DNA sequence: TCTCTAGCTTGACAGACGTCAAAACAGGCT
DNA sequence: AGCCTGTTTTGACGTCTGTCAAGCTAGAGA
């Protein structure tokens, strides 16, 4: 809510800034970020993530039938994505809607930036 | 529908192109990419990766002492990164050197691009 | 109220994962 | 050759993970 009175540790800041390829990550930062990558490290969750990410929001009722898996299993995977901070969910009446958390997404993307050093840009 | 001339599917191409947030990933693509994210989904491997990525190349002999883990364990994690296609290794004399594969890195980064749709333009 | 549907939680189980000790392998050195 | 150091492989161990069936909870509607 209020951004001015930033409480506790700003995990976002800890985890976000330097691309992986720029500076070695310390253990603490790694423990914050690894779970996000881990959450994407399953084919089912990766597809769930991409289905959710490619629209403003997505109903579980549309997610589940896209897989050959039981409801509970999909629910479990969604929970993993939620607890990794990659998506948010909201119940509206009968259905539950999922949407990505763009900050988290951006964070991971930034980590994977390849800052020209390794690129063959100009010889 | 037999694909008579289909030339061995370019995995790189399959896995690379559309950002996660643009188009849902099909199951096949997810099975190719997920192992890369999974490889980064462990704090030790994430740190190894960042140590390797932040220099042109890195000797195992410099990697191992940075952790409170046995040599075999580090070797195991390096193998996981190698098999995920994220790094390459080369033995030169006594030591083994690791270096990142920038294509793979770039690939993952591209997948995580957030193409302006979900971004708040400029506030 | 009672019932139906959507989704989540629990409990259980097989398989995968992270770790280490011990053994094997590779190269340099004497 | 023999030995020493650096790295990987093997084998074993306990823990974590993905999955489903069964049970539970939330909301809509009769």
């Amino acid at each position: 809510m209020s951004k001015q009175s930033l409480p506790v540790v700003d995990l976002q800041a800890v985890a976000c800034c330097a691309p992986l390829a720029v500076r070695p990550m310390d253990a603490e930062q790694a423990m914050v970020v690894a779970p996000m990558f881990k959450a994407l490290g399953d084919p089912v969750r990766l597809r769930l993530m991409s289905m959710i990410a490619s629209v403003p929001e997505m109903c579980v009722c549309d997610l589940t039938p896209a897989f050959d898996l039981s409801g509970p299993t999909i629910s479990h995977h969604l929970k993993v994505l939620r607890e990794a901070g990659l998506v948010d969910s909201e119940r509206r009446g009968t259905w539950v809607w999922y949407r990505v958390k763009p900050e988290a997404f951006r964070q991971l993307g930034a980590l994977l930036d390849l800052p020209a050093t390794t690129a063959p840009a100009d010889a």
Side-chain angles (χ1 to χ4, degrees), chain A:
Chain A
M1 308 286 206
S2 75
K3 259 180 179 178
Q4 351 188 0
S5 57
L6 229 191
V8 206
V9 181
D10 186 354
L11 286 188
Q12 218 70 318
V14 170
C16 92
C17 297
L20 256 200
V22 163
R23 192 180 23 137
M25 213 172 212
D26 62 80
E28 184 190 351
Q29 189 180 354
M31 282 199 314
V32 174
V33 177
M36 301 190 200
F37 283 117
K38 188 175 193 174
L40 295 179
D42 178 277
V44 173
R45 287 196 294 266
L46 199 48
R47 286 178 64 202
L48 283 170
M49 193 66 194
S50 73
M51 292 173 73
I52 298 170
S54 55
V55 292
E57 58 181 0
M58 190 98 188
C59 174
V60 175
C61 61
D62 288 327
L63 252 15
T64 304
F67 297 83
D68 241 6
L69 292 171
S70 69
T73 296
I74 297 298
S75 190
H76 160 70
H77 284 304
L78 289 172
K79 184 180 187 180
V80 172
L81 290 174
R82 224 183 318 120
E83 288 180 341
L86 293 172
V87 301
D88 247 344
S89 69
E90 181 192 355
R91 166 160 230 138
R92 274 207 304 281
T94 304
W95 297 288
V96 176
W97 298 85
Y98 277 77
R99 117 178 51 70
V100 305
K101 297 176 75 171
E103 330 82 72
F105 226 77
R106 239 185 306 269
Q107 201 174 107
L108 290 187
L111 240 25
L112 292 178
D113 272 350
L114 216 41
T117 316
T118 343
D122 43 60

